[in-house]
Amino acid sequence: MKHFDPNTQLPFELKISFDKLLKYYEDLKQTGDDFEKAKAERILRLQEPHSILRDGFDDESTLKEHQELITTILQDTFSDALTNNEIKAVSLPFQNIIFNSSERFKKIVKAAGDGFELKIKNLPESDLYIIACTIILNFHYGYDLSFKRPFLYEIPDEKGVMRYYKILYNADFTEVVPKKNAPKVTQDDYEELLDNFDNLDLWKEKFPPNSYEFKGFVISNMFDVTDDQSISNIKSTLIGEAKRKDKSFMGDFQNIFSSFLGIKDLKVGFSIYNKEDDSFERVYGEGIESFLLCDQDHLSCKNALCDWSYDLIINQKQFFSVSNVEKSCVDKEEMPHVSILNKQGIKSAILAPIADKDEVLGVLEIASEKPHVLNSIVANKLIDVMPFIVSSVKRSKREEENLIEAVIQQECTSIHPSVSWKFKKAAKQFLIDQHNNDGNAMFQKISFEKVYPLFGQIDVKGSSEARNLTTQKDLLLQLSFANKILEDIPEHLNMPIYDQVRFQIDSYIKEIETDFKVDSEQQIAAFFHKELDALFKFLLAKHSELKESIEDYFSKIDSNLGMIYYYRKNYDDTIALINKKMSSMLDEKQVDAQQMYPHFFERYKTDGVEHNMYIGEAITKEDSFDNIYLYNLRLWQLQVMCEMENEFYNNQHEYPMSLDVTSMILVFNQPLSIRFRMDEKRFDVDGTYNARYEVVKKRVDKAFVKGTTDRITHKGKITIVYSQKEDEQEYMRYVKFLQSKHVLGDEVEILELEDLQSVTGLRAIRASILYTDKEDQKFYTYDDLMATLKQ
């Protein structure tokens, strides 16, 4: 006796039973009309000797043995008049067991050919058990737990074309009964299961295998949804990233469109719409064509379309068809899109805008070498698929933008938003050149002419000396620890080598205290690593009385450096914290500055924070620049530098080490050109004349006041370096204005600087900074300054 599939483990035992349907006939025998009563009585009489049809069975032999009687019992669930129209069958769920099907269903399965196995397409075997449990929760416990999903059959027709059928189940004639070993499911159990769909072990705990009995049958009603599935295939082909990158993408896509529209040998193309230039551009990808562009990379929309078609595509965002391209070429003049289609041998076409709300993204081009097959009636079918095409184009657009960003990152490193437009343009051209030249392409030069530079820095005062001092302290500390260990060696264990090491330690201590040199740190570090470490490990192994002091020594050693890193760590942590706070503050203030007028900005950390700014028409790409924006940015910079000084000294107690800072601004009153250096991944001045600015910027903060040993930068003061008298006049206006606002103090000096390499005649304004609470600080604009001067 062959039972149903024993490999399918379920929480219930499956049995075919007609008990619920027979009970319906019992009720009909009492309440129906004469005809219904006679029919019910006949069916019940025929079934009565075969109690197994009520009790249920789970073997195929019983099904075959009673097939004729079962057909009679099920006669009311099928209509002879509709048997060639309805796609219908009686089945047992979770098993490939179908009986008493309609004639149309039989024909569909027969057309699929020998060996075809009917199987639900989208029902994962891993989910079967849990879905069966949800049936128990609904049927037996009365919960309203929705587990319905659109199940499909894939069945090829006689031509081998795959067709899709959606399945709807009628479970009116089923019942679920718990066995004696079935645990009772509580409300708490139910709520726990709601959040654990994927936890199969939990479901099996609440619903052990075969702990329930499923009796009855289901009626499957099927509907041909091939058109809907074709649309779904178009969607998945468009959206699937792997598919779109595959070389066969366009071939597959054209075949799907041919199936969807019912037209053989269609061609599909795309053009991207560039709103900024009002032009169409080619989509670069394997086999992707553009019939509007033909063999061109880009084309003005006015040259690709006539006025009528331009208005329809770009403004009204409506599609149109040309059902007879050849005839339209003869009958109508000045229709460039028709001419270019005819040139390519296209006889009929549909052009459809790919539009998202108010934005046109591109044009879908469908073409055929046969006249009339593509027309306005066929074009209306595109309404169902255009949303998916729009979604795909939007995604491709985002991917292109990401790819452009990736090229920029690779070729240029991180780019400030104010100049990113030019890098994106160059990156886009780079991709086109790569495609046209088999991967051989050069990234274009990126430069901006006639921009005004601004430079400022807040620098840690005496950072080199502070670093050396902390290094000396760490070395002396470690040498003293080592010396103490050697002094503690018992006299009877002493050896001459220990005396030699002590002598070396004393020599290094003297050198650090009296003549510390650049290479002293390296020499002493080598002594620690090569000699002391080996010696102490030897003593640790041989002399237990030294264990505690040697282990204490090694516990103080930094595992990465192999040396004591205490005072230097305080220094490094302080520098890092200063840089972090100053950089964050500068970045935060830059957001407001960009709102005043867009400009290039970069900052970088040294022993402090430096920043470069460039402002000019070449950066904004707009004819809107005026010197007023430069003056405003200069005043903004001066105030920010003062506020950064305030931020530092008001919070100096938070730093591990006490350090001071100095601030400086460099003024350059002539516009210059900057160029992005690909090798260094940064902007630099372009040209020999402009190089003077870079020389000054690198050297000026270490310069002295002429005829003295006084550095131009001082703690508590801001230094403004310049070379022209008009610069002095301009910045003195700013200084006096900020004095009136209690940002700067009364002490102001005009200084002459010593000559730098190839640079003479530099001067500086040095003004004292007033330190106030953050709440009292306010930013003033150039308009505020001018209003004050008028008073």
Side-chain angles (χ1 to χ4, degrees):
M1 180 183 297
K2 184 179 179 182
H3 293 270
F4 302 147
D5 188 357
N7 296 319
T8 305
Q9 190 182 63
L10 295 169
F12 41 55
E13 181 184 357
L14 290 168
K15 287 187 177 181
I16 296 176
S17 169
F18 302 95
D19 185 52
K20 287 193 75 171
L21 180 57
L22 292 169
K23 286 178 180 177
Y24 162 76
Y25 283 123
E26 287 174 348
D27 292 339
L28 194 63
K29 181 179 175 181
Q30 301 298 324
T31 60
D33 57 30
D34 291 343
F35 176 77
E36 291 172 333
K37 287 180 180 180
K39 179 177 62 176
E41 189 174 331
R42 173 174 168 271
I43 289 173
L44 291 169
R45 186 175 63 253
L46 289 171
Q47 180 275 323
E48 189 173 5
H50 309 286
S51 59
I52 194 170
L53 297 182
R54 278 186 181 272
D55 298 337
F57 57 90
D58 62 356
D59 61 282
E60 293 184 36
S61 58
T62 302
L63 184 62
K64 292 177 181 177
E65 180 183 346
H66 298 89
Q67 185 63 61
E68 186 176 345
L69 177 55
I70 289 171
T71 301
T72 301
I73 293 172
L74 294 171
Q75 65 181 358
D76 275 355
T77 61
F78 287 81
S79 168
D80 289 339
L82 298 175
T83 190
N84 288 306
N85 182 275
E86 291 182 328
I87 311 171
K88 192 173 184 179
V90 176
S91 63
L92 188 65
F94 308 107
Q95 300 280 335
N96 287 330
I97 302 209
I98 292 176
F99 49 98
N100 210 72
S101 53
S102 67
E103 287 301 315
R104 186 178 175 192
F105 180 84
K106 291 176 183 176
K107 290 176 183 177
I108 289 171
V109 175
K110 184 178 180 181
D114 296 337
F116 173 75
E117 182 181 355
L118 197 63
K119 192 171 184 180
I120 296 173
K121 175 192 175 186
N122 52 342
L123 179 60
E125 290 188 11
S126 58
D127 291 350
L128 283 179
Y129 197 98
I130 295 173
I131 290 174
C133 293
T134 63
I135 292 173
I136 297 172
L137 286 171
N138 283 7
F139 276 70
H140 180 68
Y141 289 98
Y143 290 108
D144 184 17
L145 190 64
S146 177
F147 59 86
K148 293 180 180 179
R149 292 173 58 197
F151 295 128
L152 295 173
Y153 281 137
E154 279 186 347
I155 308 176
D157 63 15
E158 63 276 1
K159 298 177 183 178
V161 176
M162 191 65 70
R163 302 195 69 83
Y164 302 89
Y165 299 89
K166 185 176 181 180
I167 313 163
L168 296 179
Y169 291 108
N170 182 334
D172 288 348
F173 303 107
T174 61
E175 57 183 332
V176 176
V177 181
K179 294 184 180 180
K180 290 181 179 179
N181 66 326
K184 182 174 176 57
V185 177
T186 66
Q187 180 68 22
D188 288 342
D189 294 332
Y190 170 71
E191 291 175 3
E192 183 181 7
L193 291 167
L194 288 178
D195 293 324
N196 288 279
F197 181 84
D198 295 327
N199 190 343
L200 182 59
D201 291 337
L202 179 64
W203 287 89
K204 285 187 174 182
E205 176 190 328
K206 310 298 182 185
F207 302 94
N210 294 322
S211 57
Y212 290 78
E213 187 176 71
F214 181 98
K215 292 174 61 176
F217 61 89
V218 294
I219 300 173
S220 304
N221 292 280
M222 287 154 277
F223 303 90
D224 192 329
V225 291
T226 303
D227 286 347
D228 293 337
Q229 192 62 33
S230 296
I231 293 174
S232 179
N233 289 342
I234 290 174
K235 176 182 175 182
S236 62
T237 302
L238 285 167
I239 293 178
E241 182 177 355
K243 291 182 179 180
R244 287 184 290 114
K245 291 181 178 179
D246 192 89
K247 291 183 178 180
S248 63
F249 165 73
M250 279 309 295
D252 294 340
F253 190 63
Q254 289 176 163
N255 289 336
I256 293 169
F257 249 99
S258 292
S259 176
F260 174 62
L261 297 177
I263 301 170
K264 287 191 67 178
D265 302 323
L266 281 184
K267 296 180 179 179
V268 179
F270 294 93
S271 298
I272 293 297
Y273 176 62
N274 185 327
K275 184 178 180 180
E276 189 175 56
D277 298 330
D278 194 26
S279 65
F280 292 125
E281 298 176 353
R282 181 177 298 280
V283 179
Y284 288 95
E286 289 287 346
I288 299 179
E289 296 183 82
S290 171
F291 306 114
L292 274 177
L293 295 174
C294 190
D295 53 359
Q296 300 185 68
D297 291 327
H298 53 85
L299 186 65
S300 167
C301 292
K302 298 294 186 180
N303 294 329
L305 301 170
C306 64
D307 291 343
W308 171 82
S309 57
Y310 178 92
D311 180 64
L312 209 61
I313 291 282
I314 304 301
N315 297 330
Q316 299 185 45
K317 301 171 186 62
Q318 295 182 12
F319 53 73
F320 68 93
S321 64
V322 184
S323 62
N324 193 328
V325 172
E326 200 168 18
K327 186 174 185 295
S328 296
C329 265
V330 176
D331 294 348
K332 299 177 181 178
E333 298 180 357
E334 296 182 355
M335 295 183 68
H337 61 284
V338 174
S339 299
I340 201 164
L341 291 173
N342 189 54
K343 177 184 174 182
Q344 297 168 81
I346 293 169
K347 304 301 182 185
S348 61
I350 296 171
L351 299 178
I354 304 168
D356 179 43
K357 297 179 182 177
D358 296 330
E359 181 184 12
V360 176
L361 304 172
V363 178
L364 169 67
E365 309 157 358
I366 305 175
S368 172
E369 295 179 353
K370 295 180 181 178
H372 305 298
V373 296
L374 292 172
N375 50 65
S376 61
I377 298 171
V378 172
N380 270 280
K381 291 195 72 175
L382 294 176
I383 293 172
D384 295 325
V385 299
M386 287 308 294
F388 309 127
I389 295 173
V390 170
S391 177
S392 176
V393 172
K394 285 176 67 178
R395 181 176 175 183
S396 294
K397 190 175 181 180
R398 287 195 300 269
E399 289 174 353
E400 183 188 41
E401 290 170 353
N402 292 338
L403 187 57
I404 289 171
E405 288 292 339
V407 171
I408 293 173
Q409 290 291 333
Q410 178 183 336
E411 298 291 331
C412 319
T413 195
S414 183
I415 301 302
H416 191 261
S418 63
V419 294
S420 63
W421 63 270
K422 196 157 189 174
F423 286 90
K424 289 178 180 178
K425 186 176 180 180
K428 193 170 188 178
Q429 188 60 49
F430 179 82
L431 293 175
I432 292 172
D433 292 346
Q434 268 196 326
H435 182 272
N436 291 338
N437 299 304
D438 297 324
N440 297 317
M442 292 286 290
F443 198 82
Q444 294 178 354
K445 172 184 173 181
I446 302 292
S447 63
F448 297 91
E449 298 180 354
K450 296 182 179 179
V451 294
Y452 291 90
L454 295 92
F455 173 77
Q457 70 175 35
I458 183 165
D459 193 37
V460 173
K461 186 175 184 293
S463 57
S464 298
E465 292 83 353
R467 171 74 188 184
N468 282 340
L469 182 60
T470 58
T471 302
Q472 289 173 272
K473 286 184 176 182
D474 278 341
L475 294 177
L476 285 171
L477 186 62
Q478 187 166 351
L479 288 168
S480 65
F481 283 143
N483 216 10
K484 181 68 170 60
I485 293 171
L486 293 172
E487 289 174 354
D488 289 344
I489 297 175
E491 187 68 30
H492 68 282
L493 297 176
N494 200 14
M495 292 191 291
I497 188 64
Y498 302 155
D499 294 332
Q500 187 274 323
V501 173
R502 278 198 295 270
F503 172 78
Q504 186 64 62
I505 289 174
D506 290 338
S507 298
Y508 281 136
I509 290 174
K510 184 177 180 180
E511 180 180 337
I512 292 170
E513 292 175 339
T514 60
D515 189 26
F516 190 68
K517 299 175 183 176
V518 174
D519 62 344
S520 296
E521 181 181 359
Q522 293 179 337
Q523 291 178 5
I524 298 171
F527 170 70
F528 287 145
H529 297 152
K530 293 179 181 179
E531 297 187 40
L532 272 188
D533 284 1
L535 176 61
F536 285 167
K537 287 175 183 176
F538 167 79
L539 292 172
L540 190 62
K542 295 292 184 179
H543 306 296
S544 59
E545 60 268 36
L546 298 175
K547 180 180 178 181
E548 185 177 345
S549 58
I550 293 175
E551 287 182 345
D552 180 61
Y553 169 85
F554 280 119
S555 70
K556 291 179 170 63
I557 302 299
D558 181 88
S559 58
N560 294 321
L561 296 177
M563 298 169 66
I564 286 180
Y565 178 57
Y566 176 74
Y567 292 105
R568 279 172 295 177
K569 185 177 188 303
N570 285 342
Y571 172 82
D572 290 341
D573 288 348
T574 300
I575 293 294
L577 196 55
I578 292 172
N579 286 345
K580 181 180 178 181
K581 288 200 171 186
M582 296 300 101
S583 297
S584 297
M585 184 175 177
L586 195 55
D587 291 344
E588 183 181 333
K589 296 298 181 184
Q590 252 294 300
V591 175
D592 295 331
Q594 291 292 340
Q595 299 300 317
M596 300 175 191
Y597 193 82
H599 57 276
F600 175 82
F601 168 80
E602 66 177 356
R603 57 118 180 105
Y604 40 96
K605 303 173 184 177
T606 54
D607 284 346
V609 178
E610 299 179 4
H611 67 269
N612 287 315
M613 294 185 288
Y614 298 99
I615 187 170
E617 191 171 299
I619 289 174
T620 57
K621 202 178 64 168
E622 296 176 5
D623 187 16
S624 62
F625 178 73
D626 188 278
N627 280 346
I628 191 73
Y629 297 117
L630 171 63
Y631 303 149
N632 203 62
L633 192 60
R634 284 174 171 173
L635 178 58
W636 172 90
Q637 181 190 36
L638 182 56
Q639 292 179 85
V640 167
M641 297 294 290
C642 293
E643 187 168 339
M644 290 170 72
E645 282 256 1
N646 270 270
E647 176 73 18
F648 174 80
Y649 282 109
N650 286 337
N651 297 284
Q652 195 175 22
H653 61 280
E654 298 178 4
Y655 303 127
M657 184 176 175
S658 179
L659 295 172
D660 291 315
V661 297
T662 60
S663 297
M664 186 202 74
I665 289 172
L666 174 63
V667 182
F668 197 77
N669 68 346
Q670 295 296 319
L672 45 75
S673 297
I674 58 172
R675 176 166 62 92
F676 191 84
R677 299 190 181 278
M678 296 296 180
D679 52 345
E680 299 178 19
K681 309 296 185 188
R682 67 179 183 88
F683 275 102
D684 202 353
V685 295
D686 197 15
T688 306
Y689 172 76
N690 296 327
R692 177 173 177 266
Y693 173 72
E694 287 295 323
V695 171
V696 175
K697 192 168 70 174
K698 291 176 181 177
R699 298 175 181 271
V700 70
D701 67 314
K702 300 294 190 294
F704 296 108
V705 177
K706 196 165 188 176
T708 74
T709 57
D710 180 27
R711 283 273 179 91
I712 63 164
T713 55
H714 268 204
K715 171 190 172 183
K717 298 182 179 182
I718 186 161
T719 303
I720 305 162
V721 179
Y722 58 92
S723 61
Q724 303 296 321
K725 186 64 177 178
E726 54 262 38
D727 297 333
E728 179 182 312
Q729 294 169 348
E730 177 188 344
Y731 272 87
M732 281 305 298
R733 288 200 302 271
Y734 302 156
V735 169
K736 290 176 181 178
F737 173 67
L738 294 179
Q739 284 176 328
S740 72
K741 301 301 181 183
H742 307 292
V743 175
L744 294 175
D746 294 335
E747 185 182 348
V748 178
E749 304 168 271
I750 304 295
L751 308 169
E752 188 177 351
L753 274 64
E754 67 174 6
D755 294 341
L756 301 177
Q757 180 182 355
S758 304
V759 180
T760 60
L762 291 177
R763 297 172 69 83
I765 300 170
R766 195 162 66 187
S768 60
I769 300 170
L770 296 180
Y771 296 104
T772 59
D773 293 333
K774 192 170 185 178
E775 292 74 18
D776 299 329
Q777 295 169 359
K778 179 183 175 183
F779 266 83
Y780 301 95
T781 67
Y782 191 76
D783 290 339
D784 297 327
L785 181 149
M786 297 306 293
T788 302
L789 292 177
K790 289 178 182 178
Q791 293 175 358

